Amino acid sequence: MTDPLRDFEYTPADFNVVRELIRQAAGIRLADSKDSLVYSRLAPRLRSFGFKSVKEYLAFLMENDEETQHFINLLTTNLTSFYREPHHFEILTEFVKSGEKVQRVWCSASSTGEEPYSIAMTLVKAFESFNACKIIASDIDSNVLAKAQKGIYALKQVDVLADKKRFFRKGTGPNIGFAKVIPELKKMIEFKRINLMDERLPINELQDVIFCRNVMIYFDRETQLEILKKLVEKLRPGGLYVAGHSEHFSGMSEYLHPIGKTVYMKK
């Protein structure tokens, strides 16, 4: 793994240390193939500190608790878009229209905000109100949460939305090329940094719907089940758990009933 074309010394032992540290900090399981990705993510941080090797950075990391959040931010992947996997938002609309109580929704991997804002827009259209539901949007990555809270996106992301004029305002002057979420939509959402690996999740009230999509794929099976049990504890009976398209939880049949398209109902 040591490469003369790389600016910093980086060995297989360093990669294994990184794998263990990110597993402990965030529960993330890095595959053997992620060695180059790790280097590319860490290199700018090493450069900013003036370190000569990944080993030197890791020694610093293990002695400085404040660096842990930066380390997590560097190694988490945030791929998202508005109304990603649109069938889930259709199911959410149907759930509301069926007369189910939907007052609290938790988006547990909000990334840069496209998912919680998509949930909020769906609920506004279903209820014809900005005040019917409160959404908690959480993520382990403090950088993406900060971006989500600003609610500012490139026009190319927003222009494809049929409801863009209702929920976004185009920027002017120095903000040309961007659009901002309207205040009424943003007020529906509380942004919180939450690590799903924490023993106790700081969600005090039972949720009617929980979105946790494309998160479990980063954990091993044992960790998946541990996290899922904690999430289900925060969901009311009859509430919906929305998973990612490649995530299946047959081992949780005691708690969840599949209703199709990776959506489950709590028993």
Side-chain angles (χ1 to χ4, degrees):
M1 201 182 301
T2 300
D3 187 335
L5 298 179
R6 286 175 170 164
D7 294 337
F8 308 101
E9 182 183 345
Y10 178 49
T11 68
D14 296 330
F15 177 54
N16 287 332
V17 172
V18 169
R19 294 170 86 176
E20 180 59 22
L21 290 175
I22 195 64
R23 188 194 65 78
Q24 291 176 4
I28 294 171
R29 173 177 46 83
L30 289 176
D32 294 344
S33 60
K34 300 297 184 182
D35 57 338
S36 294
L37 179 143
V38 165
Y39 179 85
S40 66
R41 297 281 181 88
L42 294 183
R45 194 71 176 162
L46 270 68
R47 196 169 289 113
S48 69
F49 279 111
F51 293 131
K52 303 298 184 185
S53 67
V54 172
K55 184 177 181 178
E56 191 176 350
Y57 169 73
L58 293 174
F60 168 78
L61 170 65
M62 287 185 277
E63 293 296 326
N64 292 269
D65 291 341
E66 292 181 4
E67 183 62 19
T68 300
Q69 183 61 55
H70 294 288
F71 177 70
I72 291 171
N73 292 353
L74 290 170
L75 294 182
T76 47
T77 299
N78 299 285
L79 176 64
T80 187
S81 61
F82 289 108
Y83 295 112
R84 186 182 183 195
E85 298 182 56
H87 52 276
H88 286 156
F89 301 98
E90 294 166 6
I91 291 171
L92 177 60
T93 298
E94 292 167 4
F95 193 59
V96 171
K97 295 293 189 181
S98 72
E100 286 280 353
K101 181 193 76 170
V102 182
Q103 296 175 327
R104 301 184 185 92
V105 177
W106 178 17
C107 174
S108 65
S110 65
S111 186
T112 47
E114 288 90 338
E115 183 168 298
Y117 287 124
S118 296
I119 294 169
M121 290 186 284
T122 299
L123 292 170
V124 169
K125 288 182 285 186
F127 284 114
E128 285 298 327
S129 170
F130 285 92
N131 302 309
C133 190
K134 289 293 184 183
I135 299 164
I136 295 173
S138 69
D139 204 281
I140 193 173
D141 186 330
S142 58
N143 289 337
V144 297
L145 271 179
K147 179 174 174 57
Q149 197 153 16
K150 289 178 181 177
I152 298 173
Y153 300 93
L155 277 181
K156 64 182 180 181
Q157 293 177 265
V158 174
D159 277 345
V160 298
L161 304 178
D163 43 19
K164 62 185 177 183
K165 291 184 178 179
R166 184 176 183 182
F167 297 113
F168 292 86
R169 296 292 176 263
K170 283 188 176 183
T172 58
N175 296 314
I176 285 178
F178 295 90
K180 188 172 185 176
V181 172
I182 62 172
E184 296 92 331
L185 197 70
K186 189 183 291 187
K187 279 178 64 177
M188 295 174 63
I189 304 174
E190 177 188 1
F191 293 94
K192 300 178 69 170
R193 184 188 173 277
I194 296 177
N195 185 345
L196 298 179
M197 289 293 292
D198 287 348
E199 186 174 344
R200 294 175 63 90
L201 299 176
I203 303 293
N204 298 322
E205 297 177 293
L206 290 180
Q207 303 296 299
D208 302 303
V209 181
I210 294 177
F211 276 69
C212 187
R213 305 193 301 171
N214 305 307
V215 176
M216 297 296 188
I217 56 175
Y218 297 105
F219 305 123
D220 59 35
R221 186 65 177 167
E222 182 180 354
T223 306
Q224 287 178 2
L225 292 176
E226 287 176 5
I227 292 173
L228 188 59
K229 286 178 182 178
K230 288 188 290 185
L231 290 170
V232 170
E233 286 176 1
K234 303 298 182 179
L235 185 65
R236 70 162 171 88
L240 293 187
Y241 180 94
V242 185
H245 67 275
S246 61
E247 299 168 327
H248 302 278
F249 303 112
S250 56
M252 288 294 287
S253 58
E254 179 182 350
Y255 308 98
L256 295 173
H257 170 68
I259 63 172
K261 298 183 178 179
T262 62
V263 178
Y264 300 80
M265 183 173 285
K266 182 174 179 179
K267 293 182 176 180

